[in-house]
């Protein structure tokens, strides 16, 4: 199913709960409303929608101590973020506005929470994002043939992550209920 195409009639109003997340890179021009409307079409009256999303606009590099290098990780994060901003015509600010968007679409917002990534999961969180970065680099390499410099930067960033550098961003979680 394509999240941007109209929901087929046989799926409309069929679900009590719909949960989505990590769609930050598919939203174009800071406008998740077309996706939100399709998700709402899936819900029965009184159904619940939960959307968990990474606050990519607030991402930053963090190091445990000043002796840990992080220049390559910072460059990789900034370069990928700028590429995605240009490609998606987005600054990702919409993520922190999901709660009000739910309300504007007629949902009763039951929870609208921002959570920071705790220190004890920062390393796996960063490794997850490094895997995502590798996927983006693969696409760049396949489409342009210019992956060598990207992979060199990636390898340097991985070495910094192994020494404790990490990418941090919060998570936004919004739960809304469709009127009965």
């Amino acid at each position: 199913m394509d999240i941007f195409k109209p929901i087929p009639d046989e799926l409309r109003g069929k679900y009590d709960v719909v949960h989505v997340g990590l769609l930050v890179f598919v939203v174009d021009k800071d406008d998740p409303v077309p996706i939100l409307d399709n998700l709402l079409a899936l819900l029965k009256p009184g159904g619940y929608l939960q959307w968990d999303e990474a606050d990519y606009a607030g991402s930053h590099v963090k190091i445990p101590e000043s002796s840990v290098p992080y220049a390559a990780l910072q460059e990789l994060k900034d370069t990928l973020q700028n590429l995605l901003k240009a490609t998606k015509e987005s600054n990702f600010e919409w993520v922190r506005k999901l709660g009000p968007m739910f309300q504007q679409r007629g949902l009763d917002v039951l929870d609208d929470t921002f959570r920071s990534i705790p220190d004890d999961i920062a390393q796996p969180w960063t490794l997850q994002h490094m895997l995502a970065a590798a996927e983006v680099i693969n696409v760049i390499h396949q489409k342009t043939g210019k992956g060598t410099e990207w992979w060199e930067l990636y390898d340097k960033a991985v070495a910094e992550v192994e020494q404790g550098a990490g990418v941090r961003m919060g998570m936004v979680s919004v739960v809304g209920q469709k009127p009965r």
Side-chain angles (χ1 to χ4, degrees), residues 50-62:
Q50 179 176 1
W51 191 330
D52 296 325
E53 197 60 71
D55 180 27
Y56 199 64
S59 67
H60 60 281
V61 171
K62 185 173 180 179

Side-chain angles (χ1 to χ4, degrees), residues 6 21 26 29 54 75 96 104 107 111 128 134 141 149 175 177:
V26 299
K29 299 178 183 172
E75 182 181 349
R96 290 201 184 190
Q104 291 168 354
L107 291 170
D111 185 38
Q128 170 193 331
H141 185 76
E149 60 275 4
V175 178
Q177 185 176 21

Side-chain angles (χ1 to χ4, degrees), residues 72-116:
L73 183 59
Q74 184 71 54
E75 182 181 349
L76 181 65
K77 184 209 70 84
D78 290 346
T79 303
L80 286 172
Q81 193 169 29
N82 289 335
L83 174 69
L84 290 165
K85 282 180 178 180
T87 303
K88 302 310 287 179
E89 296 181 41
S90 176
N91 63 11
F92 310 108
E93 297 292 333
W94 63 268
V95 171
R96 290 201 184 190
K97 299 173 185 169
L98 271 174
M101 288 181 198
F102 273 41
Q103 289 176 324
Q104 291 168 354
R105 306 319 277 178
L107 291 170
D108 180 21
V109 175
L110 306 175
D111 185 38
D112 184 356
T113 305
F114 175 85
R115 292 177 182 86
S116 297

Side-chain angles (χ1 to χ4, degrees), residues 25 80 127-137 154:
F25 299 133
L80 286 172
L127 293 172
Q128 170 193 331
H129 287 281
M130 294 302 289
L131 290 171
E135 289 299 318
V136 172
I137 294 169
Y154 178 85

Side-chain angles (χ1 to χ4, degrees), residues 63-70 163:
I63 55 173
E65 55 189 60
S66 62
S67 65
V68 174
Y70 66 93
Q163 295 178 59

